[in-house]
Structure formats: structure tokens, C-alpha cells
Amino acid sequence: MKKYMYVFLCFLFTTGCSAKTQLDDLTLALTVGLDTGKNGKLLIYSVSPVFNKEAKNIYEVIRTLGVTPRDGRSKANAFASGKIVGGKAQNIIVSKTFAKTHDMFSYLDVFYRDPKNSTTANFIVFDGPLKDVMYIRLDDKPRLSVAIRDVLLTAHKSKQTTKINLLEFRRLSLDRAQTPFAPILRVHKGDLIAGGIALFNKQRKYVGSLSQKESPYFAILNKNIKPATSLTLAIKGLTKQKEYVSISIEKGDFSYKPSFQNGMFRFDVHIHLGAILTETTTHIAMKKEKKKLEQLLAKEIQKQLEAIVKKMQTYEVDPIGFGLYARAYEYKPFQKQKSWSKAFAKAEINIHPTVEIISYGVLQ
Amino acid sequence: MKRYEFNEITIMQYIFLISGAQIGIGILSLPAQLADIANTDGWIAIIIGWLISIIASTIIIKTMAKHPQDTIFDLSRRYFGRIFGTLIHLAFVAYALLASMTVVFTAIHITQVWILPNTPNYLIMILFMLPGFLITRNGVRVLARYAEFVFYLTLWMPILIAIPLQKGTILYMLPILKEGWAPIFQAVKTTVLSFLGFELAFVFYPFLKEKKHAIKAMVIANSISAFTFLLITVTCFIFFSPDETPSLIWPTLSLLKTIEFSFIERFEVIFLSFYLFVMSTTGIPYIFTTVFGVSQLFGKKDHTIVLIIAVCAFILTSFLYTPSFSHIQTMGSWWERYGLWGAYIFPIFLFIYVSMAQWFQGGKKK
């Protein structure tokens, strides 16, 4: 009896032999793109690597017209060189015009619903028609999907843009107290550039953007300054001429204090930044003028931070998550608001940054 | 006289047997159910549920301690006579059968959705029943050893769940007591049911070697489960936004999906494959209880024949019937409704009845 059992068990090991899938028989969609096509239909791109020595291109781009992403994939299977698999997706790119007019959730649903799909793919907004990026020729870069990811990660590390994956996008969208955002990618003179931040409203539609210059300040407000956020600020007043000072922010202490008065939310934001001075265009006598420089830098940072908060309030979006603090500490009035975005637009936000120069390099 | 001498289990095995039966399929969906009712305050309900389950298990042990050699099947015959005793006996068997069906079919469904979408469910059933048969056939001692073994085998899993914790937003948890106590008490009903499994003490208590530690063992088993529930629920709450958690069916698995290392993706597949062990420690004790109960009904000592019939019936069912997700949910809700009576209300009545009966007999020991 026992002997037969072992023989039977041995057969179980062979189950994998019948339904195997060879890697080169698959079309791994590493990048999926969504754009508006003709007649309001959806234009779906998928970029997948080609593992074939004879093929000239190292990746193939498939373009189909469909009503939904899954519909487009079924159609694409008709002329892909292998069965399309979505589980390895690294980037999901939507064009700006598409994001402006469509609720993102209707088109991203398949990525969340089907457990075989990856939810850690980067979500990216592309500035321009998607064909610009899909058929770009990058001779000095790796495969397109890898190149996009690399450009994005590098830009994110230096705070020129931000990074969000599908899961985080969903988390921010579904939370009453926040709105989602996404990095912006564009093509300029044949180069891939990641910079700026796309802002989405509560209906998951694109409403506006922050420029590449504003991105580091967005990162500061988001408490995301590690490993280091570098800023170049124009300040006046220390010497007579216009001067530029570059600092690298190494650490920060944040406090967001919400309060509710007269039917209006009020936030007192205190940010204490520890910075290293990395560059000045004019000579500053650091020993004497350190305090003054710190104040001037703080003032300039405050101006920039207030500007982007103002911008977010006009768009009625809250990607920073001020609502989180409102909900945590002023729950009753927060719950009464029909729409947090509207309440946030009316809120009074006072930002008080302070800068402390930790060191100023090896020069006096 | 010791009836189950050959099958005695140690206190550790007993603890892991009970907590293994408690931690199973419920935990995969518990955070979503709690968030739906009590938002991020749901974790308080777990603590209350924990206290209630400890009280209920203490009552069970107190009842069973009056006749340390009796399982619930013997006890019901002793106190309720032939007809009523058999009825209670049958009810308990039906309950265990329902529980084991729910666990097995849910496990199959989850395996199909997350890991093996193209495998027919009868194949998965056969694969589940193979170890199930081998363990159940050998009785309580092997069952308990298996539970202990699985506990050590899966100790790494809570650590893994804590990884997403770093990326969480603790602000989601505030304010505590958002809407007062009312939603929390509503959620207690759900948490109380996730502790189901301790009622198996009705069957396993006579097998315990050191009976004086039984209550302590129950408290520890319930605490292990409560800690696991709390860990997972809180992690889900601070990882997903409060409005998102109810939109997920299995938030625990969605949570694991986000864990990614540079060398491995879709970590939930590996996790779930190991989790099948955890689910088996829920399913197998219930299958054992069913089979054991039926063989006691016929006065048979060896339960192998009943087990073979049961295993064949399970496999045959899976050939003929593939439950949809809504069927599985209905099955689960039946189990819970039944469990509320079987594990919380019935023990209280039984305790009162048994105490009264003994009192009337004037301490005359049988």
C-alpha cells in the first residue's frame, strides 16, 4: 500500500511538464499605454521585449484600438508574436489628453481586479500623444520600458518629479482626505525627460500640474526629502547684486497643526530644514551673515511653498494629505464636509519654514 | 479509567491545535469586514472579541472538567438521554461538517483565484485530501503534532506581514473612537466569530494530558490568535486608506502583493502556498471532529472507514459541484450563524444544565 502511494506521489512531480510556458513564447507587456483614439475609442499600446536572435528590434510595440484595456489586449493577441502577459508590467502610461477627460479608475480596474496583474507598476502621465514615446528611437539607452523606469527613478531621487505605483494611486484616490498625483514624462528633442507632477482631482481626472521647478518643494511638503533635496534659490539683499545659493536639504522636522474656526480649516505648518550649503555665486561672509542667510533662504522657500499650496487650492486638490491631519485631529468638522477638496480650497494655510545651515563646505 | 490514553497530547500541542483551528480563512477577509463596520476602530473590537472568547472557552473547560474523560459526544449522551443526546451529537457533527466544508471550499477558491487559475477544483481537492486523510487517520496525537509543526513552520509569516508596516500612515488610525462605541460593538459580532475554533475543546479536552492547565492553555491559544488578528488588521488599516480597505475582498493578500524584492515578484503566491498549511490546521481538526463524531454514533472505535467515505464524498462533491464565490460566502455565513450558537450560547446553557444536574444528584458521582 505504502509503496504504491510513493509511486503515485512521484507522478505529482510531473504535473508541471504538460502545461509549461516558454519565456520566448510569451509577449511580456512591460509598458502599457492608454491614449484617446478615433471616435472616442481607447488606443492601447503595449511594449514588450523580444527574445529572438533573428529579430532586428529588441522590443516590439503593439497598438490596438479597443473599448477597454482588456478588450485591446484580446485584439492584440491576434497579431502579437506570443500570448500577451500583463503580470510583469513596469509602467502604465496615460496621455495627458486622455487623463483630462477620463476617470482613471474605469481603465485601471483590470490591473486591480485581476490578481495576476502587478499593482506595483509605476503610473505615469505623458505630456503629448503617446506615439511620441512609443516610437521614440533611443539608440544609446536600454529597452524602452527599462529606459522609462530608469529615467523616472533618477528624476524621482533628485526630486525633479515624483513616483507613484498603481496601488498608491488607488489608495490616494479612495481616501476621502487626499487626492492622487503622478509623475509627468515628456519627450523633448528625442530625449526622454521626467519632470513635474500631474495632479488629479477626486474624480481621478487630470486637472493641472506642478512644474519641474516646483517638484522639490512638493517633495518637501510631502516630507519626502531623503536622501537629499537640492534647491537653487535666487536671493537678494545680502550683497547688492542678484545671487544664487544652492543648498542640499538633509533633514527636516515637520508639524502640521490643523484647527477649525468659523467654518474654515486652518493649518499651521512648521517646517524646520537642516541644509548643507553647496554653492554660492557671490562671496558671503558665512561667519557673520549665517543667521541672515538662513532667514533669507527660509523666506524664499516659504514663498515657493505658499505658491504651490495656492496652486493646489485653485485646482481643488490635496495631494499632500492635509486632509489626513484634519481627519485625525478635527474629526467632527471634517466628517461634516461634503467634499474635502472644496473645504481644502477654502482653508487657510500658514507655512513657516526655518532653515538651519548645518555646514557650508570646506570654504569659509 | 483513561479512554484515550494512546492518544494523549501535551499542553503545547493542545494550544497549537486550538489556535491553529482559530487562525484560518477568516483572517484573510477580517480587516475588510471590520473596516466596513467600524472603520479604523475595528481593532478595538478584536480585543473585546478576545475577552469574550476567553470567557466562552473557560465555560467550556469548566463544563468538560466535570467529566474529564468525556468528549461532547459522551457528555450529551450522559446528560440528555438517548434521543436528545443523539440529537445534540448530530448537531455537533453537522456543525463540524459545515465548518470543514466551508474551510475546504474557501481554501480551494482562494487557491484558484490567486495561484492556480487553470486547475480544476477537483484536482486541488484531491491534493488537499491526501495529507488530510493521512493526518486524520492517525488520530488526535498526530493531528496535534501536525498543528505544532505547522506553527513553527509558519512563524516567519507575521514578520513578513510587518514589512508593509513601514510604508504605512499611522494617521489613518486617528482619531480613536471616531464614531463612539456603537460601531465597535457591532463589529464585535464579526470578531467573536473569527475566534471560532476554540469550541473544538469539546472534543479535544479529554485527550489533554495535563488537564489542570487547560484553562491557561485556552487563554494562551486565544491570545496567539488575537495577536495575529490584531497584527494583520492594524497593518491593513495603516497600509490601505480607511476608505479603501472595505473595497478589497482579501485585504491581507492584497497587502502581500505589494511586497516586492528585486529577485522575486508576486510574493503572495509563495505566502499563500505556505498559508495552505495554516488553512489545513483549520480544516483538518473539523474534518476529524466530523469523522470522529460519526464513528462514535455507530459505536465504532476506529474511524478509518468513516474517514475514507468522507474523503471520497468530498472529492465526489468537488467533481459535481464548483461553488461560486457567493455560494462560499453563504456557506461562511451559515457557519458563523451556527457557530455563534454552538460556541458561545450552547456552552453557557450546557454549563448551567450540567451544574444543576450535578447539584440535584447531590454530588453523587457516577
Side-chain angles (χ1 to χ4, degrees):
Chain A
M1 174 69 193
K2 226 171 198 168
K3 210 163 151 198
Y4 290 116
M5 194 70 120
Y6 287 127
V7 174
F8 175 71
L9 283 176
C10 282
F11 278 113
L12 290 180
F13 286 111
T14 62
T15 47
C17 296
S18 62
K20 64 175 188 284
T21 329
Q22 303 252 348
L23 189 59
D24 38 354
D25 289 343
L26 294 174
T27 301
L28 302 167
L30 292 188
T31 299
V32 178
L34 304 173
D35 200 349
T36 34
K38 274 178 285 181
N39 311 329
K41 273 199 171 173
L42 181 68
L43 199 56
I44 302 129
Y45 293 88
S46 77
V47 186
S48 36
V50 177
F51 303 111
N52 197 328
K53 273 188 184 156
E54 287 155 36
K56 215 173 117 199
N57 282 330
I58 48 172
Y59 62 86
E60 65 171 331
V61 179
I62 298 167
R63 182 169 64 164
T64 42
L65 214 54
V67 268
T68 67
R70 196 30 71 89
D71 177 47
R73 185 173 113 176
S74 321
K75 283 178 185 160
N77 264 329
F79 52 88
S81 51
K83 190 170 168 277
I84 296 181
V85 178
K88 297 277 170 280
Q90 305 269 314
N91 314 302
I92 311 293
I93 308 182
V94 296
S95 81
K96 199 159 131 183
T97 42
F98 179 74
K100 256 181 202 164
T101 45
H102 295 76
D103 178 358
M104 285 298 106
F105 266 18
S106 328
Y107 296 92
L108 296 180
D109 189 69
V110 63
F111 297 102
Y112 300 123
R113 194 172 293 278
D114 189 342
K116 288 194 290 301
N117 280 333
S118 160
T119 49
T120 43
N122 292 315
F123 184 70
I124 304 164
V125 171
F126 183 74
D127 193 355
L130 269 189
K131 65 175 193 294
D132 289 359
V133 63
M134 292 299 170
Y135 296 108
I136 193 174
R137 291 184 58 83
L138 296 166
D139 296 330
D140 54 347
K141 288 223 166 76
R143 292 169 210 271
L144 181 63
S145 310
V146 182
I148 291 175
R149 208 194 60 193
D150 289 352
V151 166
L152 189 75
L153 287 186
T154 317
H156 167 64
K157 264 202 192 117
S158 57
K159 309 290 177 318
Q160 299 305 304
T161 181
T162 179
K163 192 182 87 136
I164 195 164
N165 64 31
L166 284 179
L167 188 98
E168 290 157 352
F169 188 81
R170 180 181 154 92
R171 179 197 308 159
L172 296 184
S173 310
L174 286 181
D175 193 354
R176 275 194 62 199
Q178 294 174 85
T179 58
F181 55 89
I184 297 179
L185 190 75
R186 62 177 184 276
V187 171
H188 183 67
K189 289 186 183 154
D191 271 331
L192 273 179
I193 296 170
I197 294 158
L199 303 172
F200 288 80
N201 64 8
K202 212 63 244 169
Q203 284 72 46
R204 280 90 53 182
K205 281 181 187 167
Y206 174 94
V207 282
S209 66
L210 298 178
S211 70
Q212 189 172 339
K213 243 188 95 196
E214 290 165 322
S215 303
Y217 298 100
F218 178 81
I220 291 174
L221 272 184
N222 236 341
K223 299 189 190 176
N224 170 31
I225 53 172
K226 293 267 147 86
T229 307
S230 120
L231 301 173
T232 301
L233 300 158
I235 52 169
K236 265 182 278 179
L238 217 55
T239 51
K240 291 288 168 290
Q241 69 243 60
K242 195 173 185 186
E243 62 219 19
Y244 291 99
V245 175
S246 299
I247 52 170
S248 163
I249 296 170
E250 303 289 320
K251 58 177 187 189
D253 290 320
F254 303 87
S255 103
Y256 293 71
K257 278 223 172 62
S259 53
F260 187 75
Q261 287 155 357
N262 313 329
M264 219 167 79
F265 280 96
R266 190 190 134 117
F267 291 91
D268 288 303
V269 182
H270 288 272
I271 302 176
H272 181 76
L273 300 167
I276 295 177
L277 189 79
T278 50
E279 178 192 50
T280 60
T281 50
T282 53
H283 178 75
I284 300 169
M286 287 308 297
K287 262 189 193 150
K288 253 199 314 192
E289 315 237 41
K290 188 161 162 255
K291 277 266 136 28
K292 203 171 168 199
L293 180 65
E294 282 174 349
Q295 279 164 11
L296 284 170
L297 287 173
K299 209 168 177 189
E300 185 60 27
I301 291 174
Q302 181 181 18
K303 213 167 82 190
Q304 297 284 350
L305 292 178
E306 275 170 356
I308 67 165
V309 167
K310 191 100 238 146
K311 208 168 178 180
M312 291 187 300
Q313 284 184 314
T314 39
Y315 290 136
E316 296 187 351
V317 293
D318 181 15
I320 304 291
F322 281 99
L324 290 180
Y325 295 92
R327 178 170 55 198
Y329 299 110
E330 293 289 339
Y331 184 72
K332 283 226 168 82
F334 175 85
Q335 239 8 29
K336 275 191 200 121
Q337 305 298 327
K338 272 207 192 79
S339 143
W340 168 245
S341 321
K342 290 250 156 52
F344 172 69
K346 277 188 280 174
E348 181 193 337
I349 296 164
N350 303 313
I351 304 173
H352 310 286
T354 48
V355 176
E356 185 196 343
I357 295 177
I358 309 169
S359 88
Y360 40 88
V362 292
L363 295 181
Q364 276 291 336
Chain B
M1 184 194 77
K2 280 190 173 179
R3 255 195 285 177
Y4 303 106
E5 200 164 4
F6 298 112
N7 252 321
E8 276 188 337
I9 55 178
T10 66
I11 196 94
M12 286 288 260
Q13 289 169 339
Y14 181 77
I15 291 171
F16 295 134
L17 190 62
I18 297 292
S19 73
Q22 287 181 319
I23 303 170
I25 50 170
I27 199 168
L28 298 176
S29 55
L30 180 70
Q33 291 168 342
L34 287 184
D36 200 24
I37 305 170
N39 213 316
T40 49
D41 287 337
W43 60 275
I44 302 172
I46 295 182
I47 295 175
I48 300 174
W50 171 61
L51 294 174
I52 297 177
S53 70
I54 285 181
I55 295 169
S57 11
T58 312
I59 292 175
I60 292 178
I61 297 294
K62 283 268 182 240
T63 317
M64 299 305 286
K66 293 189 199 296
H67 298 280
Q69 296 308 318
D70 281 9
T71 62
I72 180 70
F73 304 124
D74 307 315
L75 200 74
S76 58
R77 197 68 57 82
R78 187 190 290 256
Y79 279 99
F80 296 93
R82 202 181 172 79
I83 298 165
F84 277 108
T86 311
L87 277 179
I88 290 173
H89 188 142
L90 276 177
F92 206 80
V93 169
Y95 168 72
L97 181 67
L98 177 67
S100 46
M101 290 254 289
T102 314
V103 175
V104 170
F105 278 111
T106 314
I108 289 175
H109 184 76
I110 291 175
T111 314
Q112 272 187 325
V113 170
W114 288 85
I115 317 178
L116 302 167
N118 297 327
T119 312
N121 70 338
Y122 57 84
L123 264 185
I124 303 177
M125 178 68 98
I126 292 171
L127 290 175
F128 278 5
M129 281 302 146
L130 220 63
F133 173 77
L134 290 173
I135 293 163
T136 316
R137 191 187 56 177
N138 289 311
V140 177
R141 184 178 277 179
V142 171
L143 195 64
R145 280 180 186 165
Y146 176 72
E148 187 173 358
F149 171 68
V150 169
F151 181 81
Y152 295 134
L153 194 71
T154 50
L155 265 182
W156 56 276
M157 293 166 102
I159 302 167
L160 197 79
I161 284 173
I163 292 177
L165 208 59
Q166 313 158 358
K167 293 188 206 157
T169 314
I170 299 168
L171 272 184
Y172 288 146
M173 299 299 286
L174 292 173
I176 292 164
L177 295 181
K178 284 182 181 61
E179 306 283 338
W181 285 96
I184 295 174
F185 284 125
Q186 263 181 340
V188 168
K189 213 183 142 199
T190 313
T191 55
V192 154
L193 295 171
S194 63
F195 281 99
L196 283 184
F198 63 83
E199 75 280 10
L200 289 182
F202 272 139
V203 179
F204 293 126
Y205 176 77
F207 296 92
L208 182 63
K209 208 196 287 169
E210 304 137 71
K211 291 201 170 54
K212 58 178 188 288
H213 296 308
I215 290 178
K216 213 195 294 170
M218 288 310 269
V219 172
I220 294 172
N222 277 314
S223 307
I224 292 174
S225 308
F227 175 74
T228 320
F229 294 156
L230 260 183
L231 177 74
I232 289 180
T233 309
V234 170
T235 312
C236 280
F237 283 174
I238 68 177
F239 187 75
F240 297 113
S241 58
D243 305 320
E244 183 181 11
T245 320
S247 77
L248 302 161
I249 298 177
W250 295 296
T252 315
L253 294 174
S254 299
L255 183 79
L256 293 164
K257 210 169 136 81
T258 62
I259 301 175
E260 235 173 37
F261 299 107
S262 49
F263 52 91
I264 197 162
E265 270 178 2
R266 287 206 69 197
F267 207 85
E268 83 277 7
V269 173
I270 295 170
F271 184 91
L272 206 51
S273 312
F274 268 95
Y275 200 77
L276 291 177
F277 282 117
V278 180
M279 289 200 259
S280 71
T281 57
T282 311
I284 294 173
Y286 278 110
I287 294 177
F288 174 82
T289 307
T290 316
V291 171
F292 183 72
V294 172
S295 49
Q296 292 262 308
L297 197 63
F298 296 114
K300 281 209 166 90
K301 265 215 154 144
D302 188 21
H303 59 266
T304 316
I305 300 161
V306 185
L307 178 64
I308 292 173
I309 295 168
V311 166
C312 290
F314 264 108
I315 294 171
L316 200 69
T317 317
S318 68
F319 264 108
L320 303 173
Y321 168 60
T322 310
S324 66
F325 180 60
S326 59
H327 283 191
I328 288 171
Q329 276 184 318
T330 322
M331 235 191 268
S333 66
W334 284 348
W335 175 21
E336 291 182 341
R337 213 171 305 162
Y338 210 151
L340 191 66
W341 285 92
Y344 288 97
I345 297 167
F346 170 66
I348 297 172
F349 282 116
L350 187 69
F351 178 70
I352 295 170
Y353 183 88
V354 170
S355 309
M356 297 265 276
Q358 280 201 333
W359 188 64
F360 277 121
Q361 283 165 358
K364 187 179 72 186
K365 284 225 168 123
K366 234 181 177 179

